[in-house]
Amino acid sequence: IMYIKKIKNRSYDMRYQTKYRRRRENKTDYQQRRALLMQDKNKYFTPKYRVVVRITNRDIICQVFTADLTHDECVVSAYSHELRRYGINVGLTNYAAAYCTGLLLARRANAHFGLDYEGSTEITGDEFHVEADEEGKAPFRAYLDIGLRRTTTGARIFGALKGATDGGLDIPHSDRRFPGSSLEEDDEGKKRWEFEPDVHRKYIFGGHIAEYMSALQEENPDKYKSQFSRYIAAGIGPDDLEGMYTKAHAAIRANPAIKRDPKELGNFKSRAKAQTKPPAKKDWRVNHRLTAKERWDAVQAKLLDTGLTYTETSYRELRRSRV
């Protein structure tokens, strides 16, 4: 009989420690989170902020978070579905939309904290770090939180990062993971990072999408009509993308706090008419005890239904009739 060593023995079971629930669900990297939240002791209760970027199938979410001993607190947020208010109705999850969402977050954060940093108004695609004003307030400093996303070159999370830094936020970063960055060998055979800002600028203005649209339109018109049906319905062609994003950048800087339209209802939906009042909140408590005010209101309602007003006599008559 072949001997099989038992790996998980009693000693293993005694020392086993159950991981946190969100780690078991593969939702939170606690090693990364601990590093992002750790604050120097000599800074006392100075909050440490992080820019959280999350990408779903239909949305890009950018938020500024801070944490205390009990919970996280969201300070400012921006979503790519809000870009419709700034003239972008299609392609809400691409690299250019990620840049616009990061820019929107930065402008809202600066307005929230009363800062006057404009960031980089000329978009060249090159690395940019906001410079502090020696006489005024320091720029808003935060750290990028990417969650469980892979830091691959050209990832959309770095588009949101670039938009936030161009909007005036101070986020430590380098240009190694922007589109146009690659590891090349020099004359001595050593590998060095090379960065082409023009390639990055092309991605910010949707140039890579325009190139693909033009190529697909020539090679396979049927697939082009199917894949870019929303673009065609909106009257947007390959040559219109850069102008659309340029206008969106200007509109975001002009007013980052455009209010939601009364007829707006989530992604790709709208109401026929504006709501007159907010929907009633449902009480999810089951068989809860009524408060004194709720009991009094119920008595008043029953008296009104029977055409009586509250007196000691009418209340006794009402109780007799219910028996």
Side-chain angles (χ1 to χ4, degrees), residues 194-205:
E194 300 287 340
F195 178 57
E196 299 179 18
D198 293 338
V199 176
H200 192 198
R201 185 187 183 280
K202 180 182 73 173
Y203 275 72
I204 292 172
F205 286 98

Side-chain angles (χ1 to χ4, degrees), residues 281-294:
K281 292 184 179 180
K282 186 174 180 180
D283 189 357
W284 296 98
R285 295 176 296 177
V286 179
N287 297 329
H288 65 279
R289 286 189 61 184
L290 297 177
T291 63
K293 184 178 184 305
E294 289 173 339

Side-chain angles (χ1 to χ4, degrees), residues 113-126:
F113 290 102
L115 301 174
D116 297 329
Y117 291 94
E118 289 295 327
S120 176
T121 55
E122 183 181 356
I123 302 173
T124 61
D126 205 352

